[in-house]
């Protein structure tokens, strides 16, 4: 059976995703709400997937592995930013400080290179005043904004993505679990 280009690209994406998902700590992102009722885990997977798909669609030459890994780890801050008492309460606005926290956590748990670090640290431009240095960073920055808006106004975002990235029913259930922000 011949695989189509999109299927091959999805397999490439999945291989890089699986590498990151081997760390149990990465799954902690599922405990925290990002936008709307979308978890940080599902948000990060979506940003990574759509950044990769955008590059393929527009035929933009990028370092695929770094783009996918950087996007997966861009919100690896591991706390609930909606809570009154959070790690950033004495430091500043979550939107401005969480890229540095995510980068710190990513460096601690993964072997992050300079390109992945730039993606993580600069994805909140212009709020952080640090513009992306590389095209991969700019793409993740833009896709992150688009995904954030989509998640804010969509009740059950990314239902189809969970079918593509989950290996089994258990993973699919964990990734797509809808979080109750009021519960």
């Amino acid at each position: 059976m011949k695989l189509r280009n999109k299927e091959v690209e999805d397999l490439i994406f999945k291989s890089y995703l699986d590498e990151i998902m081997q760390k149990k700590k990465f799954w902690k992102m599922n405990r925290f709400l990002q936008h709307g009722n979308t978890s940080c885990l599902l948000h990060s997977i979506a940003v990574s997937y759509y950044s990769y798909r955008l590059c393929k669609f527009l035929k933009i030459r990028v370092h695929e592995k770094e783009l996918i890994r950087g996007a997966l780890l861009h919100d690896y801050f591991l706390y609930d930013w909606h809570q009154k008492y959070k790690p950033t309460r004495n430091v500043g606005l979550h939107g401005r400080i969480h890229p540095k926290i995510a980068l710190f956590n990513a460096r601690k748990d993964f072997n992050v290179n300079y390109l992945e670090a730039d993606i993580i640290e600069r994805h909140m431009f212009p709020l952080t005043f640090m513009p992306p240095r590389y095209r991969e960073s700019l793409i993740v920055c833009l896709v992150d904004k688009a995904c954030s808006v989509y998640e804010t106004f969509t009740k059950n975002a990314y239902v189809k993505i969970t079918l593509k990235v989950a290996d089994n029913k258990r993973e699919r259930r964990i990734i797509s679990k809808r979080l109750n922000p009021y519960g």
Side-chain angles (χ1 to χ4, degrees):
M1 178 169 86
K2 187 177 178 189
L3 290 174
R4 295 177 305 156
N5 278 350
K6 190 170 187 259
E7 290 171 331
V8 171
E9 291 164 0
D10 283 350
L11 288 172
I12 291 168
F13 174 82
K14 182 79 170 86
S15 70
Y16 293 131
L17 173 65
D18 287 345
E19 184 183 314
I20 297 288
M21 290 179 112
Q22 294 300 313
K23 288 264 192 206
K24 286 186 178 182
K25 202 167 180 185
F26 181 75
W27 286 89
K28 279 187 175 183
M29 293 173 66
N30 206 44
R31 296 180 190 170
F32 309 114
L33 203 58
Q34 184 64 327
H35 309 105
N37 69 340
T38 304
S39 71
C40 284
L41 177 67
L42 188 52
H43 166 77
S44 294
I45 291 170
V47 169
S48 183
Y49 181 75
Y50 288 119
S51 295
Y52 177 66
R53 295 298 317 146
L54 180 69
C55 292
K56 289 299 180 184
F57 180 76
L58 297 176
K59 296 179 175 36
I60 300 170
R61 289 183 50 199
V62 294
H63 294 91
E64 291 177 354
K65 182 177 182 179
E66 287 80 1
L67 173 87
I68 292 168
R69 285 173 49 95
L72 285 170
L73 298 170
H74 82 279
D75 279 340
Y76 191 61
F77 48 83
L78 304 176
Y79 63 84
D80 186 355
W81 67 272
H82 300 89
Q83 296 294 319
K84 184 177 181 181
Y85 299 104
K86 56 185 176 263
T88 62
R89 72 178 177 273
N90 296 327
V91 184
L93 184 67
H94 165 76
R96 295 195 62 188
I97 198 71
H98 84 268
K100 290 191 182 302
I101 296 170
L103 181 58
F104 176 81
N105 289 340
R107 281 186 168 145
K108 204 167 49 169
D109 297 334
F110 299 92
N111 187 16
V112 175
N113 67 25
Y114 71 95
L115 184 50
E116 294 162 349
D118 192 74
I119 291 168
I120 296 166
E121 190 172 31
R122 295 167 184 262
H123 79 273
M124 285 302 291
F125 179 77
L127 192 60
T128 56
F129 309 121
M130 292 172 26
R133 287 185 184 145
Y134 307 101
R135 84 172 52 116
E136 292 86 351
S137 308
L138 179 62
I139 290 163
V140 170
C141 181
L142 295 173
V143 172
D144 180 50
K145 307 294 180 275
C147 286
S148 299
V149 170
Y150 176 70
E151 293 162 14
T152 301
F153 295 106
T154 305
K155 188 170 185 174
N156 291 321
Y158 313 125
V159 173
K160 290 182 182 176
I161 272 190
T162 58
L163 298 174
K164 288 183 184 206
V165 300
D167 286 329
N168 53 49
K169 286 182 182 179
R170 181 180 172 275
E171 274 187 14
R172 200 173 298 129
R173 190 176 63 249
I174 292 170
I175 292 171
S176 66
K177 181 178 81 174
R178 302 295 166 219
L179 300 175
N180 181 358
Y182 308 107

